[in-house]
Amino acid sequence: MARPRKPLLSRERIVDAAGALVDTEGLEAVSTRRLAAELGVSGPSLYNHFRNKDEILDAVADAVSAQVDLSMFDEHDGRDWRTALHDWAVSYRAALADHPHIVPVLAQGPGRRPAGLRVADAVFGAMVRAGWPPAQATYIGALMRFFITGSALGSFARGFVDDETAYDPADYPHLGQAHLLAERQEKVDEGAFETGLRALLDGLTMQYETGVRGKWETQSS
């Protein structure tokens, strides 16, 4: 009886294996030797698909970018620019929350990554179509990336310990409930994200309305 063939090595298999390692053990766990062992192949065979570890991590980051919903930026979707930005931000943050260890790579920007560039192109194009000047559309894309990736780099609530004695009222008179934050991490962090997102969008809406009335004279001067 013929022995079963091993699945052919492919970029997709390598990225899936690397992504699983990043998710469970962090960026430091990824090496070509470790991936080769995980995939049951020789180390040099990986170089037929990727030149080095950095290229593999780029591909993992791009796979996460590909999970972000961009349908709200379609010309025929019908959502206004503010709603589109909100819905996209929520989808983007959800993707990063599912893969928090890859966020430092994503935070560096899209580089040459196809999915990351499609995200940037969709946001910029939608803002320009909505009437934002190109420079302002660029700033908005940058601002949203700063805000979303920053929110995904760590948990505010988990930054506090669940030990009530750590927050002596004599030293920290306003942190009497801080020890409860860690157990309410999801609610606190999601509430903070939505609060910040609404404030950000409120500010952009004010700029937009002022710019439309003044035909963007201030921004173009």
Side-chain angles (χ1 to χ4, degrees), residues 14 28 103 178 187:
I14 296 169
E28 298 77 12
V103 174
K187 181 178 181 180

Side-chain angles (χ1 to χ4, degrees), residues 93 155 157-158 181-191:
R93 181 175 179 271
S155 164
R158 279 204 300 263
L181 290 174
E183 68 181 42
R184 302 172 183 174
Q185 177 257 322
E186 184 174 352
K187 181 178 181 180
V188 171
D189 290 349
E190 288 187 0

Side-chain angles (χ1 to χ4, degrees), residues 6 10 18 23 37-38 41 100 102 127 129 133 137 143-144 173 187 207 211 220:
K6 292 182 179 179
S10 65
D23 284 346
E38 293 283 334
V41 299
I102 200 64
M127 294 305 101
R129 284 199 310 273
L143 170 64
M144 296 299 289
K187 181 178 181 180
Q207 289 186 36
S220 61

Side-chain angles (χ1 to χ4, degrees), residues 26 57 60 63 65 67 73 77 95 99 112 137 153 155 161 189 191 208 217:
L57 291 178
V60 172
S65 292
Q67 298 173 18
F73 296 128
D77 179 80
H99 307 281
R112 297 176 182 270
L153 281 172
S155 164
V161 299
D189 290 349
Y208 183 81
E217 291 177 356

